[in-house]
């Protein structure tokens, strides 16, 4: 029987390890990116996956997994950027960058557990391609909110969209590790 919490932690650990290594290599150079730039980076990754799924052709050679890991990390970075704002410290010490990463991943995990309880792990019956479509839909929503200067009438803000992207990307990584349909 699958253990979602353990599978989730395993995939988060993989994503965090890459985030940490890149932070050691590049520092927090991503602090220069505005939220719409991060949204576009996530869009590029999700769109590449969908393009490969539809065409069946992958000329770059990297599989889906690295794109899902990147989407998790870019979405966490977007949450950090939203928290710190553009005028905050530009180059964060590694310890602070990891602390902020862990803070936002903990919140995303809590959201996943709550939703997973209410939805009865419905994601396990979904295709990876359907989750990619949902990620793309979330990105379109985020872009629209960004174009509206962050104002919404009734909808959740960009934070909820980024959290859902983290969770759907992690669900996809779990599904891919099970060797189910891609």
């Amino acid at each position: 029987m699958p253990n979602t919490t353990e599978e989730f932690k395993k995939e988060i650990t993989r994503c965090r390890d890459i985030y940490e290594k890149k932070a050691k290599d590049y520092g927090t150079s991503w602090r220069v990116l505005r939220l719409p730039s991060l949204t576009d980076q996530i869009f590029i990754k999700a769109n590449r996956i969908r393009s490969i799924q539809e065409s069946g052709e992958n000329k770059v050679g990297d599989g889906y997994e690295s794109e899902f890991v990147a989407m998790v990390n870019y979405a966490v970075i977007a949450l950090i950027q939203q928290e710190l704002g553009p005028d905050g410290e530009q180059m964060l010490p590694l310890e602070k960058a990891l602390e902020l990463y862990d803070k936002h991943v903990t919140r995303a995990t809590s959201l996943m557990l709550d939703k997973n309880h209410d939805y009865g792990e419905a994601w396990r019956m979904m295709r990876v391609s359907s989750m990619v479509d949902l990620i793309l839909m979330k990105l379109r929503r985020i872009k629209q909110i960004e174009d509206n200067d962050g104002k919404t009438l009734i909808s959740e803000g960009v934070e909820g969209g980024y959290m859902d992207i983290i969770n759907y990307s992690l669900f996809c990584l779990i599904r891919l590790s099970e060797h189910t349909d891609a």
Side-chain angles (χ1 to χ4, degrees):
M1 178 174 211
N3 183 330
T4 299
T5 303
E6 288 305 312
E7 292 169 316
F8 212 74
K9 285 180 185 175
K10 177 184 170 201
E11 296 304 335
I12 287 170
T13 299
R14 175 169 38 159
C15 295
R16 186 186 188 276
D17 182 58
I18 290 169
Y19 172 87
E20 181 176 4
K21 286 176 180 171
K22 287 191 175 199
K24 287 178 181 175
D25 284 349
Y26 306 128
T28 54
S29 58
W30 48 262
R31 283 288 290 138
V32 74
L33 296 173
R34 293 171 282 194
L35 284 176
S37 298
L38 289 162
T39 302
D40 288 344
Q41 276 301 119
I42 299 166
F43 176 79
I44 289 167
K45 302 297 183 183
N47 202 56
R48 177 176 180 263
I49 293 168
R50 185 172 177 163
S51 175
I52 293 168
Q53 288 171 332
E54 289 180 350
S55 72
E57 193 173 351
N58 178 358
K59 290 189 176 187
V60 175
D62 295 335
Y64 299 155
E65 289 187 10
S66 63
E67 303 294 16
F68 286 117
V69 169
M71 287 193 291
V72 168
N73 288 342
Y74 278 126
V76 172
I77 287 169
L79 292 169
I80 294 170
Q81 289 291 70
Q82 187 178 33
E83 176 183 349
L84 297 179
D87 299 325
E89 187 177 357
Q90 290 302 299
M91 292 302 285
L92 302 173
L94 178 63
E95 301 77 31
K96 180 71 172 176
L98 293 173
E99 174 188 316
L100 289 166
Y101 186 95
D102 293 340
K103 172 185 171 181
H104 290 287
V105 164
T106 297
R107 290 179 52 238
T109 302
S110 178
L111 176 66
M112 178 278 298
L113 291 170
D114 291 346
K115 284 187 173 185
N116 214 30
H117 173 271
D118 290 353
Y119 288 92
E121 296 208 342
W123 65 271
R124 288 196 181 272
M125 294 171 267
M126 293 176 67
R127 295 173 184 93
V128 170
S129 59
S130 295
M131 287 188 269
V132 171
D133 289 349
L134 290 171
I135 290 168
L136 286 164
M137 179 187 69
K138 295 287 181 181
L139 287 162
R140 287 183 185 269
R141 289 178 180 178
I142 291 169
K143 285 179 163 204
Q144 184 63 51
I145 293 168
E146 289 170 346
D147 290 347
N148 293 339
D149 296 322
K151 295 177 180 78
T152 61
L153 299 174
I154 192 169
S155 306
E156 64 183 342
V158 297
E159 183 178 333
Y162 288 130
M163 299 275 271
D164 287 343
I165 289 166
I166 292 167
N167 289 333
Y168 280 125
S169 295
L170 289 164
F171 288 155
C172 288
L173 286 167
I174 292 168
R175 291 289 311 238
L176 290 171
S177 74
E178 297 170 341
H179 304 292
T180 56
D181 99 90

